[in-house]
Amino acid sequence: MASDMPLVQLPQRGERINVPLVQSRSEDQRLVTSARQTDKIDADDLVALANQLNSARQLVKGRACDRLKQIADQMEQLHMAARAVLEDAQRDEHLHNVPCNMEKQPGRIYHLYQKQGSMNKYFSMLAPNEWGYQEKKEEYLGSYRLEYDRSWTPVGEMDRKDEEVARLQQLLQREGPVALRGNPNF
Amino acid sequence: MAQSKPAYKVADIKLADFGRKEIILAENEMPGLMAMRSKYGPSQPLKGARIAGCLHMTIQTAVLIETLTALGAEVQWSSCNIFSTQDHAAAAIAQTGVPVYAWKGETDEEYEWCIEQTIVFKDGQPLNMILDDGGDLTNLVHAKYPQYLAGIRGLSEETTTGVHNLAKMLAKGDLKVPAINVNDSVTKSKFDNLYGIRESLPDGIKRATDVMLAGKVAVVAGYGDVGKGSAASLKAFGSRVIVTEIDPINALQAAMEGYEVTTLEEAAPKANIIVTTTGCKDIVTGKHFELLPNDAIVCNVGHFDCEIDVKWLNTNATKKDTIKPQVDRYTLKNGRHVILLAEGRLVNLGCATGHPSFVMSNSFTNQVLAQVELWTKFGTPQEYKLGLYVLPKTLDEEVAYLHLAQLGVKLTKLSDEQASYLGVPVAGPYKPDHYRY
């Protein structure tokens, strides 16, 4: 039951608005009784209150929606980032499983091929133009650099990745001395 | 041919500094090659030679390559085995500007590509000399580049396998280039096989297992050159060595050296270590494994991996534990264990780093002399005609001579009277060609 209930209930469009008022004291408790009934609610007053209440509710609703939207956007972004991470991991895993006779060393570029007429992929030290055989250009699938964290970077994304690393290193160098000022306190 | 041939192809050029340091160390241990440099360097006898070399690209080979270039040759290199390249050695050689195409772990296609890159030199000039180990480069040039054969003055071959190949080609009339068999120089096969293994066998066993050799019963199957070296080193460590042989001459030799000689069936129940050196097949089989005491170590130093029945172990053992690469501990059905090294392949290469530099200096000095012979005799009356030769005994003796000073050996001189009494020249050669050493 409870799980069907919405967590937060927001006013629906066209809903009849009940203006909740402060309860008056009973007649015998009052000291002043206005002849012109100035302490009684007038219909006009009620409309004004209702309007105010209504617009307040709209604003609350709008504001909540805005804030929720931000979270939703972030969730969407996180979801996409998570997906990219998983896809990268899958690709890295796949590339690590490709048959290769060499001991792969980080920092080096390896070239991926697929034997013609078969599903067998393999890594080579040789780029397609180095082989000198036409069939190697047809078998060529792409080139990847093995990173020090054992991930793979496609050659096309290498420049971007290097810039990113260089920027981070600059940042570290700038922040470094500040962070290291004074000896650590053990 | 590739129009965009790279200047070199190695695993990682950044390893060059490390390689250079090891080359400098090895140079000290390769006096034969260094003597060739100081003796022939000034006269540049190999000037004009374009040598395509195909031989394990190791530190020792790097010293060989630099000796050839010091004698004036232009050199291009590939490795004769897809796994034998030492990447730092290749990088150091590449950095000197020598085109080298070799890395550890090539595919078979890459292997062929590497060899092909060494055939045409810069400016499109083809090779005019071959230095080969195993015959792959020789075969490739004969099969795919016959147009260059006429321009090749000669080839020198390092190993037994390659020499067999050359003999077959010669018999069929396929060989088109004069060839020198370096393998059968006394200073190659009688040193490499005997003294090389004497150090690299215990190196392999100890790196793999750290076993104490003293007191153990060690069986050496085969008492040829490799068997003699294996038995000698195990005995020197204090093992009680038993030899098995099929040839009565070798069996008697072993017995006269003080080894017990018996069959493997009789020796197996007490064999703590078995080393096969025969060059034959099916030496250690299932029935022997079942007789072995617990945790017996079994390994091979013969050329091919058919001496130990590894297949039987893999199918009949109840469990196989890989302790580290190249060290497998099998549990047999009888509950005992067998430790197999290097999967039955050469244990001195699989578990250690092969022969030391000094003994390789003997082999490679023969290679340099063979190249100089073939190149400089060309066009003279002594020119090597098409055929398969061994180096003249004078050169074999020279190779040995060049290694003496490093060891502080003092040679006794033959007087004229003594020389005429023996009927040999004062300066050698001292032995007839059939002498066995």
Side-chain angles (χ1 to χ4, degrees):
Chain A
M1 262 315 264
S3 63
D4 292 339
M5 294 267 290
L7 210 59
V8 179
Q9 275 181 315
L10 290 174
Q12 303 293 312
R13 189 177 291 277
E15 192 185 356
R16 212 182 120 245
I17 296 171
N18 288 315
V19 181
L21 293 175
V22 180
Q23 199 75 47
S24 320
R25 290 171 296 174
S26 60
E27 295 284 334
D28 49 326
Q29 281 180 307
R30 296 188 194 184
L31 293 179
V32 178
T33 308
S34 168
R36 290 184 287 129
Q37 297 202 324
T38 49
D39 56 351
K40 287 278 188 286
I41 301 285
D42 186 343
D44 285 350
D45 297 338
L46 260 184
V47 170
L49 270 178
N51 275 341
Q52 193 201 9
L53 187 60
N54 191 28
S55 72
R57 281 176 139 184
Q58 290 301 338
L59 277 172
V60 166
K61 186 179 166 188
R63 184 154 172 270
C65 281
D66 276 355
R67 292 170 70 193
L68 278 175
K69 184 157 181 337
Q70 276 179 16
I71 293 171
D73 285 350
Q74 285 174 11
M75 278 167 68
E76 177 78 3
Q77 271 175 5
L78 285 173
H79 181 74
M80 269 159 52
R83 203 189 157 93
V85 166
L86 287 173
E87 277 171 1
D88 280 358
Q90 198 171 27
R91 184 196 64 201
D92 290 352
E93 171 72 10
H94 173 70
L95 289 175
H96 279 298
N97 284 330
V98 167
C100 177
N101 286 0
M102 303 155 276
E103 214 177 306
K104 294 187 281 276
Q105 299 291 339
R108 295 191 205 156
I109 294 169
Y110 299 95
H111 309 282
L112 185 67
Y113 296 86
Q114 182 162 19
K115 285 227 166 81
Q116 268 176 334
S118 88
M119 294 300 288
N120 297 336
K121 290 179 185 169
Y122 61 96
F123 268 120
S124 172
M125 285 272 293
L126 299 176
N129 62 329
E130 286 175 330
W131 278 100
Y133 314 139
Q134 186 54 38
E135 81 241 34
K136 288 294 164 197
K137 292 192 176 159
E138 286 154 26
E139 291 183 1
Y140 178 67
L141 296 178
S143 303
Y144 298 88
R145 184 176 67 189
L146 183 62
E147 303 294 349
Y148 284 85
D149 59 4
R150 297 298 183 278
S151 66
W152 293 93
T153 307
V155 164
E157 294 171 21
M158 252 163 47
D159 289 346
R160 196 161 56 89
K161 175 126 188 169
D162 288 344
E163 275 169 28
E164 206 176 283
V165 170
R167 208 173 47 239
L168 283 173
Q169 260 169 358
Q170 257 182 351
L171 214 75
L172 275 175
Q173 271 167 0
R174 219 178 304 146
E175 309 259 311
V178 181
L180 290 176
R181 193 176 293 153
N183 286 326
N185 234 343
F186 291 119
Chain B
M1 279 303 295
Q3 57 279 67
S4 57
K5 172 179 140 167
Y8 61 82
K9 197 78 191 177
V10 299
D12 189 352
I13 194 70
K14 290 199 286 290
L15 298 170
D17 283 348
F18 172 41
R20 179 53 52 189
K21 285 173 191 162
E22 289 221 332
I23 289 172
I24 290 167
L25 267 189
E27 282 174 350
N28 259 334
E29 279 291 289
M30 302 189 87
L33 290 178
M34 299 314 277
M36 298 304 285
R37 290 189 200 177
S38 48
K39 183 174 175 188
Y40 292 112
S43 61
Q44 298 277 294
L46 290 177
K47 196 156 187 60
R50 290 185 296 275
I51 303 172
C54 180
L55 198 155
H56 309 288
M57 184 58 246
T58 61
I59 290 292
Q60 288 81 24
T61 304
V63 182
L64 167 63
I65 292 171
E66 298 197 324
T67 304
L68 293 170
T69 53
L71 267 52
E74 253 186 274
V75 179
Q76 297 195 133
W77 214 265
S78 62
S79 192
C80 65
N81 181 292
I82 58 172
F83 278 113
S84 67
T85 298
Q86 293 172 342
D87 286 331
H88 61 311
I93 288 301
Q95 196 161 61
T96 63
V98 171
V100 47
Y101 306 89
W103 56 91
K104 188 182 174 74
E106 296 161 6
T107 67
D108 57 334
E109 282 178 298
E110 288 170 339
Y111 176 64
E112 273 171 31
W113 179 88
C114 286
I115 297 176
E116 279 194 276
Q117 303 313 302
T118 64
I119 287 170
V120 177
F121 284 64
K122 63 171 194 280
D123 310 325
Q125 300 262 58
L127 77 175
N128 54 24
M129 293 291 287
I130 292 175
L131 193 159
D132 206 358
D133 182 347
D136 288 341
L137 173 60
T138 304
N139 287 341
L140 185 79
V141 173
H142 277 77
K144 214 172 154 185
Y145 299 91
Q147 70 271 30
Y148 298 144
L149 285 169
I152 299 175
R153 292 191 185 182
L155 73 88
S156 57
E157 168 57 53
E158 173 83 8
T159 57
T160 322
T161 321
V163 170
H164 281 321
N165 176 49
L166 289 174
K168 255 190 274 174
M169 287 173 76
L170 185 66
K172 276 200 279 181
D174 292 342
L175 186 66
K176 303 292 181 210
V177 180
I180 288 185
N181 161 4
V182 170
N183 181 63
D184 289 317
S185 293
V186 176
T187 45
K188 200 276 179 183
S189 50
K190 284 281 174 182
F191 282 71
D192 203 321
N193 298 359
L194 179 67
Y195 304 118
I197 209 71
R198 203 169 70 178
E199 306 214 358
S200 58
L201 166 70
D203 189 14
I205 295 176
K206 283 184 164 292
R207 285 196 205 203
T209 63
D210 288 323
V211 76
M212 177 106 178
L213 293 171
K216 297 285 186 330
V217 173
V219 177
V220 176
Y223 198 66
D225 286 329
V226 176
K228 287 181 174 83
S230 302
S233 72
L234 291 166
K235 186 181 186 176
F237 271 105
S239 294
R240 292 173 287 157
V241 178
I242 299 175
V243 171
T244 72
E245 248 304 338
I246 49 126
D247 184 325
I249 297 176
N250 298 70
L252 187 57
Q253 277 184 320
M256 302 290 268
E257 285 292 335
Y259 299 113
E260 182 184 344
V261 184
T262 185
T263 61
L264 192 52
E265 285 75 13
E266 291 215 353
K270 52 183 171 177
N272 302 115
I273 298 163
I274 296 185
V275 183
T276 58
T277 75
T278 66
C280 186
K281 62 171 191 163
D282 302 335
I283 306 304
V284 186
T285 59
K287 61 178 181 193
H288 304 116
F289 286 124
E290 284 170 342
L291 292 172
L292 291 174
N294 192 30
D295 275 334
I297 296 166
V298 181
C299 61
N300 167 51
V301 286
H303 189 77
F304 293 111
D305 60 356
C306 56
E307 305 206 10
I308 300 170
D309 195 350
V310 179
K311 214 175 123 194
W312 184 91
L313 275 180
N314 281 329
T315 41
N316 288 284
T318 54
K319 196 173 160 213
K320 175 185 176 183
D321 251 342
T322 299
I323 296 174
K324 58 185 173 185
Q326 317 277 13
V327 183
D328 296 307
R329 186 171 186 246
Y330 290 90
T331 309
L332 302 185
K333 289 198 181 94
N334 61 21
R336 290 196 291 267
H337 301 95
V338 172
I339 299 171
L340 177 72
L341 306 186
E343 296 168 3
R345 297 193 186 87
L346 289 158
V347 72
N348 59 330
L349 286 173
C351 299
T353 54
H355 292 340
S357 301
F358 192 87
V359 84
M360 293 315 292
S361 177
N362 283 279
S363 310
F364 288 168
T365 308
N366 277 293
Q367 280 285 8
V368 176
L369 284 170
Q371 291 284 319
V372 171
E373 276 284 294
L374 288 164
W375 180 254
T376 55
K377 294 277 167 68
F378 181 81
T380 71
Q382 293 89 43
E383 178 181 312
Y384 285 83
K385 301 276 179 284
L386 187 62
L388 183 53
Y389 305 88
V390 291
L391 280 174
K393 197 164 279 292
T394 44
L395 293 182
D396 219 345
E397 287 175 357
E398 187 183 347
V399 171
Y401 183 79
L402 293 174
H403 289 85
L404 296 181
Q406 163 99 354
L407 302 174
V409 173
K410 283 184 185 151
L411 209 55
T412 307
K413 282 233 159 34
L414 210 54
S415 71
D416 290 338
E417 291 78 38
Q418 287 174 316
S420 66
Y421 174 75
L422 287 174
V424 298
V426 173
Y430 302 104
K431 302 286 192 295
D433 279 338
H434 61 263
Y435 184 74
R436 291 199 188 84
Y437 294 89

